[in-house]
Amino acid sequence: MPRATARTKRPTPAQLGPLATRPTAAAPLLPQALIERLLAVAMERGGEFAEVYVERALTTAVVLEESRIKSAQTGLMQGVGVRVISGAKVGYAYSDDLDEPALMRAARTAALIAQGKGSEQSFKVSRTPSPSYYKVAMPLADVDVARKAELVLRADKAARAFDPRVKQVNGSYADNTKRIAVANTLGHYTEDTQDLCRIGIQVVAEGKNKERRTGMYGGGGRVSFSHFDAFTPEQVGREAARQAVATLGAAECQAGPQTVVLAPGWSGILLHEAVGHGLEADFIRKGTSLFTGKLGQKVASDLVTVIDDGTVANSRGSINVDDEGNAGERKVLIEKGVLKGYMYDSLNAKLMGQRTTGSGRRESFKSMPLPRMTNTYLAPGDHLPEDIVKEVKKGLYCATFGGGQVDITNGNFVFEVSEAYQIEDGKIGRPVKNAILIGVGPEALKNVSRVGCDPMPDPGMGTCGKDGQSVPVGVGLPTLRIDNMTVGGTKVS
């Protein structure tokens, strides 16, 4: 395949317009006076609350196929979203045209959607201090694209050298340096600069009889480019190749109830999907979550403590402030099996008589904020991971997860296990394929019988989708044993 490389020149200050200024406390993304005028216009139709969200993001995307860079692109996305709330009515409009007349039209549109009784007011905003959970010495946008492309080339080389059965390698690198500002009619004004990067490698290995297996690995976070000096692309390539090769010649997975042991780290995706979404306040308010009305009730084993924490240093899901300008928080959702709390954005908190937990997140200025997870993990227990496996006479060890589906109304979930092994007489044995975990979130948590003392975050590769919006998230889990889990497979016991 011929090499095709696309380049986009870095935007000039003239092209950036009002957002051209480097991010400093003395130079807001938009002039403060303009923001205050937008808030006043947004409230002309009598809303109870108005908010202006400003975003400027410089992005890089590199794609590798067949050991060559297929594309390497940089780009700019910028715009302003205006939200007006009146009771439960929400008006939202945005503009990627930063001229004042266009921004005023967006503010008036949002006001018309959520209109109440008309009023004329003026608003003043002042800077609200925010915490700092990630600092990047050099913005990722300032790192040369050639250095980023070199990462995936190195990963490709390492993956192909790992084993001659590796037949195909696809790679990608993506980053963005995003600066946001949020102001509202309560007088708050907050800014944040958010750097985020990730490398990802997919490997296809081929064994006997043309059998093919796939491995995927990668990671990153809100980190400097120097992160890849320690989390090297060679490690990423080799791990993706190892996963692909490891299950060549795997036996068919046996179906039926089994004791399941989850490996630490990325296995936390099961917790995120099967439990986390059901604890988001919009689903609770609408009564569509299985966890509605269960605060203070036992919903899991005594060994289970679930935490959503936006304050983890440099993690992919961390936030200094959410996309409503509220500080990120550490929230205990389930403590020793008892449901303790939900995740609230500002709107659902107001409608439910609660306070926001800094959980209002949006994909971009084109989207309204929703209550979302940040870094969701299971707190560690007291059991040694090797002892957890030794205690299992017969079961399934789940090393790596693939895709899955969850219905939050009843908690039913289905997850593909992309790398799995039989456990026989306390030892991890031969690999199996086509393993699927099937269950109900709370029921699975009630069947947790061992929690390891080896907490591990995922390497920084999670993206969560909801209502058409995607945001970066983190997950984590220690070694975990779940009894009586339904396992789907092609071999019936």
Side-chain angles (χ1 to χ4, degrees):
M1 179 180 292
R3 180 168 178 165
T5 304
R7 294 183 178 89
T8 302
K9 292 182 180 180
R10 188 177 296 277
T12 66
Q15 290 171 323
L16 296 180
L19 301 189
T21 312
R22 297 289 293 179
T24 65
L29 281 167
L30 280 183
Q32 183 170 319
L34 176 55
I35 290 175
E36 292 170 347
R37 289 197 296 275
L38 289 172
L39 289 172
V41 170
M43 293 291 281
E44 281 181 352
R45 296 280 177 165
E48 297 173 3
F49 172 88
E51 167 194 87
V52 173
Y53 175 88
V54 189
E55 176 184 2
R56 173 182 182 251
L58 288 166
T59 63
T60 301
V62 177
V63 176
L64 174 141
E65 291 181 4
E66 298 182 1
S67 298
R68 296 188 177 192
I69 301 299
K70 181 181 179 182
S71 64
Q73 301 176 332
T74 61
L76 166 73
M77 183 175 73
Q78 61 183 11
V80 177
V82 181
R83 181 171 59 152
V84 181
I85 297 174
S86 181
K89 289 192 299 182
V90 180
Y92 193 80
Y94 67 87
S95 174
D96 56 9
D97 182 345
L98 301 181
D99 289 338
E100 183 167 343
L103 298 179
M104 290 299 176
R105 283 194 297 272
R108 291 191 180 96
T109 300
L112 282 168
I113 297 171
Q115 63 182 314
K117 295 181 179 179
S119 64
E120 291 187 8
Q121 303 178 58
S122 61
F123 296 92
K124 296 292 182 182
V125 297
S126 58
R127 186 70 175 262
T128 303
S130 59
S132 179
Y133 303 119
Y134 37 83
K135 286 186 177 181
V136 174
M138 175 188 288
L140 293 168
D142 290 348
V143 178
D144 191 83
V145 177
R147 295 179 63 194
K148 301 170 183 179
E150 183 64 23
L151 290 181
V152 290
L153 289 168
R154 288 165 55 190
D156 172 83
K157 183 177 180 180
R160 292 182 183 277
F162 183 81
D163 193 287
R165 291 170 290 180
V166 169
K167 300 302 180 185
Q168 182 179 325
V169 179
N170 293 323
S172 65
Y173 170 90
D175 70 33
N176 66 70
T177 297
K178 181 166 72 172
R179 190 175 176 215
I180 67 169
V182 189
N184 60 41
T185 49
L186 299 177
H188 301 310
Y189 177 91
T190 305
E191 287 194 12
D192 192 28
T193 299
Q194 303 168 345
D195 282 271
L196 182 70
C197 60
R198 178 178 66 177
I199 185 175
I201 298 295
Q202 181 184 65
V203 172
V204 177
E206 186 177 291
K208 296 178 180 179
N209 301 318
K210 300 296 183 181
E211 176 196 11
R212 291 197 159 204
R213 302 293 292 171
T214 301
M216 297 179 65
Y217 192 63
R222 299 200 182 280
V223 294
S224 301
F225 192 73
S226 59
H227 175 75
F228 299 107
D229 293 341
F231 184 76
T232 68
E234 285 78 15
Q235 293 173 6
V236 172
R238 286 192 292 267
E239 173 59 18
R242 185 205 63 77
Q243 291 180 22
V245 170
T247 54
L248 285 172
E252 293 291 340
C253 181
Q254 181 174 301
Q258 296 190 44
T259 297
V260 170
V261 177
L262 307 185
W266 179 241
S267 300
I269 190 64
L270 188 147
L271 183 73
H272 169 103
E273 295 287 358
V275 178
H277 278 298
L279 300 177
E280 292 168 342
D282 49 352
F283 298 131
I284 299 298
R285 180 174 65 84
K286 296 170 185 175
T288 56
S289 169
L290 187 66
F291 292 101
T292 301
K294 293 188 177 180
L295 278 177
Q297 296 183 27
K298 196 74 176 293
V299 296
S301 159
D302 291 343
L303 301 177
V304 172
T305 294
V306 178
I307 297 165
D308 185 82
D309 190 355
T311 72
V312 180
N314 300 108
S315 181
R316 181 170 169 82
S318 294
I319 50 174
N320 289 330
V321 295
D322 69 1
D323 294 320
E324 300 177 305
N326 300 302
E329 292 187 12
R330 180 183 185 274
K331 305 163 286 292
V332 177
L333 304 174
I334 298 173
E335 186 174 26
K336 296 181 179 179
V338 177
L339 181 59
K340 291 292 187 178
Y342 304 122
M343 290 168 281
Y344 293 95
D345 63 329
S346 294
L347 174 61
N348 286 283
K350 178 181 82 76
L351 295 175
M352 298 173 70
Q354 302 293 326
R355 69 169 192 86
T356 178
T357 56
S359 303
R361 305 188 67 193
R362 67 182 101 198
E363 183 175 68
S364 75
F365 68 90
K366 300 178 181 180
S367 310
M368 286 191 289
L370 301 169
R372 306 292 297 269
M373 285 172 274
T374 54
N375 304 299
T376 309
Y377 59 90
L378 189 77
D382 299 326
H383 298 91
L384 294 173
E386 55 269 29
D387 289 344
I388 293 176
V389 175
K390 286 179 183 177
E391 292 175 356
V392 179
K393 183 172 180 59
K394 186 176 182 179
L396 185 73
Y397 185 81
C398 303
T400 307
F401 278 83
Q405 295 180 345
V406 179
D407 184 342
I408 64 161
T409 62
N410 53 31
N412 291 339
F413 64 81
V414 178
F415 274 93
E416 173 195 354
V417 186
S418 55
E419 183 185 358
Y421 301 86
Q422 287 183 346
I423 302 176
E424 297 177 345
D425 297 323
K427 296 180 180 180
I428 296 176
R430 63 177 179 172
V432 296
K433 60 185 177 181
N434 299 321
I436 298 173
L437 300 189
I438 304 168
V440 179
E443 293 305 315
L445 291 185
K446 289 177 182 177
N447 288 332
V448 170
S449 60
R450 296 289 187 275
V451 178
C453 60
D454 56 338
M456 181 184 296
D458 79 284
M461 54 187 182
T463 298
C464 174
K466 177 179 176 181
D467 288 359
Q469 295 189 45
S470 295
V471 297
V473 295
V475 299
L477 202 71
T479 300
L480 188 71
R481 172 176 164 172
I482 306 176
D483 297 331
N484 201 33
M485 170 71 75
T486 299
V487 176
T490 55
K491 181 180 178 181
V492 180
S493 59

